Amino acid sequence: MSLSISPARLFDRFVPQGLVLKLCVLAAVGVLIILPLARIAIETLAPDAVSAWVDVTASPLSRNLLWLPLGNTLILGVGVASGCVLIGGFLAWMVVMTDIPFRRTIGLMATLPFMIPSFATALAWGSLFRNGRVGGQVGFLEGLGLSVPDWLAWGMAPTLIVLIAHYYSLAFTVIAAALATINSDLVEAAQMTGAKRSRIVFGIVLPVALPALVAGASLTFAGAVSNFAAPALLGLPVRMQTMATRLYGMIEIGQTARGYVIAILLIVVSAFFLWFGNKVISGRRSYATITGKGGRAKRFELGAARLPLFTLALFICALTTIVPVTILIASSLAPSSSALLSNWTLHYWIGESTANIAQGQAGIFHNPFIGSAAFTSINLGIVVAITGSILGLLIAFTLARYRKGFLSGTINQVSFLPLLVPGIAFGAAYIALFGAPIGPFPALYGTFALLVIAGTAYLVPFAVQTGRAVIQQVSGDLDESARLTGAGFFRRLTAITVPLASRGLAAGALLIFVKIVRDLSLVVLLFTPTTPILAVLAYRYASEGFTQFANAITVVILVISIAATLLANRLQTKSQPWLQN
Amino acid sequence: MKLTSLMISTALATALVAPSAAQDLDAMTPEELLPLAQAEGTVTVYAFTSRIARVETAFEAAYPGIDVIAHDMNSTTQIARIRAENAAGINSVDVVYISDAPVVFSELLASGLIERYVPPRVAGALDDEFTNPLLAQRLSTKVLMYNEAANPDGAPVGNLWALTEPEWRGRVLMVDPLQRGDYLDLMVEFVLRADEMAAAYESHFGTSISLDPGVDNAGVQFITDLFDNDVVLLSSTDDVNTAIGTIDQSNPPVGFTTYSDRRDNEDEGWALQVANEVEPSNGIVFPAVLALAANTQNPAAARLLIDFLMGDDSETGGPGFAPFYVPGDYATRNDIPGHPDAIPLDEFIAWRIDPAATAEIRQEIADLVLMLQ
């Protein structure tokens, strides 16, 4: 009888709370994220590659290889993050908290820009603002007789604007979800006790929304520093380089060691900035405000500002959705890129092969790969959305419940890492790691499984961040009570956390699906003839100068993305609670 | 059990006869290859040009029962992909159609990832330089081009050094040499031809060239001056073509691009024309290479496709060569005369690259370009 203490209780007594869970999660992100990155780090230390470190950091090449690109990258990161939080936050506030008209429409439109590939937005910018610097056809504005200076047509300013236009919807989604969770009781209590509007904003709304603001800023910062398409298209004519375009260029011309060194430095620098951001968030005490009930607070009345603010919101939305999409569609129909609106033809969609158009390329629906590519892309989107969400939930849950400690900090940082790695470097790392057989495991190169694993790892930060903003609000009291009454980890997870956090998870899964379906940089190295992907088809058309075909496929990707959004909205009637009255 | 032993014995037999079988295949005529190729049923090609789509259609019409799977991707991507697939033990490609000869010769061929094959049918019509170390199908170009509509009296540039003068500041275009190997090869050629560049300098400015401190030769000086003169870098030749060629420009730029892109003038509304009276040269001519993947699973069909791509016995090379029988592309076969609308190859002043010499200083020049950017 003296040995009545069961092994399980012994375990509970001597092993710190959550250690097993933390170790499991750490092992998972370790294999998925650390291992491939460690592999590229090791490659730079090979005897014939180690000189790349000197080349990049301390040689006559460093200025162009590292310092100038680094400066540009940081300006982009900080600028885009600020712009996105401002615009995304403004729109989220309007849609969730005020009586602005057409909230539903604005709410939907504000989520769309993220589904438009950033290269499409960049091309659209060119169609409007392009000046004579690169000759050829000038943009719409110069066509009207206005003179567009270089700084507005090329380089930092347009790249900033295009990236903000692309990423602000990320910030919007995260901030709107958080604002929607603000307990109406608190706001009403404040209103009844006569608090001024500004006091409610700064005393209740901002503190609760702060994690989401920081998450939004982090997501958009990371997106901006690793984005390749926009700076490549808009920066190259004035020779503006970022770390991502440098990295891509180095890998493109076979100088992989230097490319990897740049990738590692990009990760280190970005990690520092994000660590700083996370410090702000984790230094605060946690707010547990959702209890699963409570009605919607009275909306703020905008009064006389209602119409001007509505016009502003609509203007932002239209400029970032309708305009680029229109240009995209028009250019999939126009035979000559210099006359977007004339001689429209469906040849690029459904035409048979004719020798005199585009060197005999048939329309995209005659491409033998289009069917299998669409199937693979959608399949990949769904599988990665599921695997990514599960992993993201586990990580978010772990971080929310056990936010203190070295292990949690490590998990937090590691799960953020993929955001800082340009997709093409991540793809290269996965090929380096899984390209050859490892012990008894066969090489994964060319398999659907590798796409799933790489996609899951690459998009973990999205699932974690979007899920976390909501999961942190799930009251720890509920979890504690369940724990005290003997509910196991999985029971608590499925009975309490998942139901209460389902909105955030659905939003996260949707983001993952859309991102993987339209992602190019990650899969461009991973795809093989057996696993064709829509985005790669578009890229190959584009790189051959068949912009119409490329844009047609981009429109297909867009349709799939939008259909996914609408479907998710339908399945999840509560997915946008801020739209309900 | 029976099936297994049959498979094993077949595998063994295949392994044993493989080396001699490959030699037999190399000597076969297309007629002898055809039944074997039809038994294989499929052939996969990586090609650096989208024109492969037309070859695919023509091949499938000529040889029913053999499915061509064509992937077009630029040479750099092909090289990365072939390496990765080899490391993973995947043999998905049979035929490689690629430019970037300096890298292809010094890396892919040297490491045994691709193999030489010269169809016996056309071997007699090819000079040695086009069959060694690999088969060259045609010659392509990266040369100085201008807008014919805006310059009806001919090229606005008569000497490459003019491009370093204020008149052309910010008005010379090319693809970033750090993103496309062909353009890096062009930069390398300026350096390999440093003596000619020095002579051209003297002819243009009337004084002999004085090199900046740290600059070794006239080629490096030219690249340096070109970048100092705000050369505009774009990301694809198509962007360069549009910028130079678009009709109705009052003061169009010039730039380095592909001579044969002139074929799209009508469809795209361009007026691209090559500048062929330029000192010391207008750019480079380089080979488009055809090779077998080392571990091809369809050895007969792969050889048949390469044979087809080399053109038939008609004057213009027939359907297999038709996509490449355009002004600005030059057949390597000496029995296919140049396109009547193009400058004949022996009058075309572009430099022929030397892949081996290029490979030697390519990295050095890439670093130079990197520093200048």
Side-chain angles (χ1 to χ4, degrees), chain A residues 350-368:
Chain A
I350 54 172
E352 298 280 351
S353 173
T354 352
N356 61 348
I357 306 182
Q359 289 149 27
Q361 291 281 333
I364 60 163
F365 286 121
H366 289 285
N367 186 317

Side-chain angles (χ1 to χ4, degrees), chain A residues 231-533:
Chain A
L233 285 167
L234 296 169
L236 197 54
V238 288
R239 293 189 223 153
M240 182 191 84
Q241 293 273 357
T242 65
M243 303 275 275
T245 59
R246 263 289 170 248
L247 164 61
Y248 177 81
M250 287 294 114
I251 288 180
E252 271 287 286
I253 57 168
Q255 300 187 2
T256 40
R258 284 179 184 172
Y260 289 157
V261 169
I262 295 174
I264 293 166
L265 291 174
L266 174 58
I267 294 168
V268 170
V269 170
S270 311
F272 171 77
F273 274 76
L274 292 173
W275 166 81
F276 195 72
N278 269 301
K279 213 174 149 61
V280 176
I281 192 177
S282 58
R284 307 172 43 256
R285 68 182 191 83
S286 95
Y287 284 81
T289 52
I290 285 190
T291 49
K293 55 177 182 177
R296 166 118 307 283
K298 208 169 118 233
R299 293 182 180 280
F300 287 91
E301 282 164 15
L302 295 173
R306 196 164 172 249
L307 268 184
L309 286 175
F310 168 68
T311 315
L312 178 63
L314 196 68
F315 180 71
I316 293 172
C317 287
L319 215 57
T320 52
T321 53
I322 296 172
V323 173
V325 169
T326 309
I327 291 171
L328 207 60
I329 293 173
S331 59
S332 77
L333 298 168
S336 166
S337 46
S338 56
L340 271 187
L341 299 176
S342 42
N343 302 324
W344 279 11
T345 165
L346 280 175
H347 173 81
Y348 308 104
W349 289 83
I350 54 172
E352 298 280 351
S353 173
T354 352
N356 61 348
I357 306 182
Q359 289 149 27
Q361 291 281 333
I364 60 163
F365 286 121
H366 289 285
N367 186 317
F369 296 111
I370 185 92
S372 54
F375 180 77
T376 313
S377 283
I378 294 174
N379 227 354
L380 183 66
I382 293 172
V383 175
V384 171
I386 293 169
T387 53
S389 296
I390 292 172
L391 189 62
L393 171 67
L394 271 176
I395 298 170
F397 180 84
T398 312
L399 292 179
R401 285 293 155 264
Y402 312 107
R403 58 173 57 207
K404 291 271 149 53
F406 173 74
L407 281 181
S408 295
T410 310
I411 293 170
N412 189 13
Q413 299 292 339
V414 170
S415 62
F416 227 133
L417 264 185
L419 275 181
L420 315 176
V421 189
I424 191 150
F426 212 67
Y430 263 83
I431 287 183
L433 183 63
F434 292 112
I438 306 173
F441 302 104
L444 288 175
Y445 185 76
T447 62
F448 186 70
L450 179 59
L451 287 174
V452 170
I453 296 173
T456 304
Y458 189 52
L459 296 176
V460 152
F462 287 85
V464 174
Q465 283 304 312
T466 48
R468 190 163 88 162
V470 173
I471 215 171
Q472 277 190 358
Q473 312 284 344
V474 177
S475 168
D477 301 345
L478 291 180
D479 198 65
E480 287 291 306
S481 322
R483 194 186 173 82
L484 288 174
T485 55
F489 167 66
F490 282 103
R491 176 133 176 83
R492 280 178 279 137
L493 195 65
T494 51
I496 296 171
T497 311
V498 171
L500 284 177
S502 60
R503 272 178 214 160
L505 287 177
L510 176 69
L511 275 180
I512 294 175
F513 177 87
V514 168
K515 197 154 163 54
I516 199 80
V517 163
R518 65 151 181 66
D519 176 82
L520 171 67
S521 55
L522 174 69
V523 296
V524 74
L525 286 176
L526 291 177
F527 107 102
T528 59
T530 51
T531 50
I533 301 277

Side-chain angles (χ1 to χ4, degrees), chain A residues 132-135 236-237 239, chain B residues 143-145 156-157 159-176 183 186-187 190 222-223 225-234 240 243-244 251-257:
Chain A
R133 175 162 175 89
V134 299
L236 197 54
R239 293 189 223 153
Chain B
V143 289
L144 188 66
M145 300 196 58
V157 177
N159 188 308
L160 286 181
W161 286 97
L163 303 178
T164 65
E165 292 190 287
E167 186 196 351
W168 293 101
R169 184 166 185 82
R171 291 177 59 223
V172 183
L173 282 65
M174 64 180 178
V175 177
D176 183 355
Y183 283 86
L186 175 64
M187 298 297 117
F190 291 136
F222 175 72
I223 299 173
D225 291 354
L226 192 62
F227 274 85
D228 281 349
N229 210 29
D230 198 18
V231 63
V232 179
L233 302 179
L234 298 174
V240 178
I244 301 170
N251 194 16
V254 296
F256 293 95
T257 179

Side-chain angles (χ1 to χ4, degrees), chain A residues 61 64-65 133-134 136 236-237 239 246 249 252-253 255 258 356 359 435 445 524 527 529 540 544 546, chain B residues 50 54 71-72 76 81 85 88 90 178 227 230-231 233-234 242-243 249 263 267 363 367 370-371 373:
Chain A
L61 300 176
N64 276 322
L65 213 43
R133 175 162 175 89
V134 299
L236 197 54
R239 293 189 223 153
R246 263 289 170 248
E252 271 287 286
I253 57 168
Q255 300 187 2
R258 284 179 184 172
N356 61 348
Q359 289 149 27
Y445 185 76
V524 74
F527 107 102
R540 276 201 266 141
E544 294 295 337
F546 300 139
Chain B
S50 56
R54 282 173 64 196
H71 296 277
D72 65 67
T76 321
R81 180 159 302 278
E85 288 179 352
I90 293 172
L178 295 182
F227 274 85
D230 198 18
V231 63
L233 302 179
L234 298 174
T242 309
Q249 299 186 73
R263 69 184 184 276
D267 293 341
Q363 171 75 52
D367 285 352
L370 190 57
M371 242 180 308
Q373 274 185 359

